Amino acid sequence: MSRDDVDFMNEALALAREAGAAGEVPVGAVVVREGEIVGRGFNQPILRHDPTAHAEIMALRDAASRLGNYRLPGCVLYVTLEPCAMCTGAIFHARLARVVFGASDPKTGAAGSVLNLYTESKLNHHASLSGGVLAEECARLLSAFFAARRARTEQ
């Protein structure tokens, strides 16, 4: 795990905290090109009434808009939670070079937890994958969010 991986994951964690403060599942993401953040996003499906408004999608949209291209070759996505199948599809269509995630997602993870689209040879694009960067901190944030939500519903 490189120093850059830790620094950029910390940026994604800050965005995840924003999502949690807004009542969204606390997941954050940044897109990086040549050491510079070019896209930021956090979960917003509730706020936007949009089931596709996952952190990864929001960060990809931001980066594509800023760079003026729907393809993002050479870019790296840092996200606090293992991408789902929908987000992985968007990552592949954007032609990202690499994906770095924090916590694994045993319910919807498409980077090894439930299935691994990153090793599917029939797909026409692949991104390299690194998981577990600041995993404990990412998982703690999610666990605390869901514990607080359960406590509210039990009252």
Side-chain angles (χ1 to χ4, degrees), residues 2 70 80-81 121:
S2 75
Y70 74 104
T80 58
L81 183 65
S121 63

Side-chain angles (χ1 to χ4, degrees), residues 20-21 32 34 40 66 72 92 95 99 105 117 128 138 143 148:
V32 175
E34 298 174 357
R40 297 174 187 273
R66 287 178 192 226
L72 303 170
F92 289 179
R95 302 296 194 260
V99 174
D105 185 350
L117 293 175
S128 67
C138 294
S143 294

Side-chain angles (χ1 to χ4, degrees), residues 17-76:
R17 288 183 193 96
E18 283 187 49
E24 298 278 1
V25 174
V27 179
V30 295
V31 176
V32 175
R33 183 177 75 172
E34 298 174 357
E36 177 185 343
I37 295 175
V38 295
R40 297 174 187 273
F42 58 85
N43 267 5
Q44 300 178 58
I46 297 167
L47 292 170
R48 292 181 176 264
H49 309 287
D50 179 356
T52 69
H54 288 194
E56 300 95 323
I57 302 294
M58 302 309 294
L60 291 173
R61 288 175 181 163
D62 188 35
S65 178
R66 287 178 192 226
L67 298 175
N69 194 344
Y70 74 104
R71 296 273 169 95
L72 303 170
C75 290
V76 179

Side-chain angles (χ1 to χ4, degrees), residues 2 7 13 44 47 70 86 88 93 104 109 123 126 134 146:
S2 75
D7 290 346
L13 272 163
Q44 300 178 58
L47 292 170
Y70 74 104
M86 176 187 70
T88 296
H93 283 287
S104 295
L123 295 172
H126 294 89
L134 299 182
F146 286 113

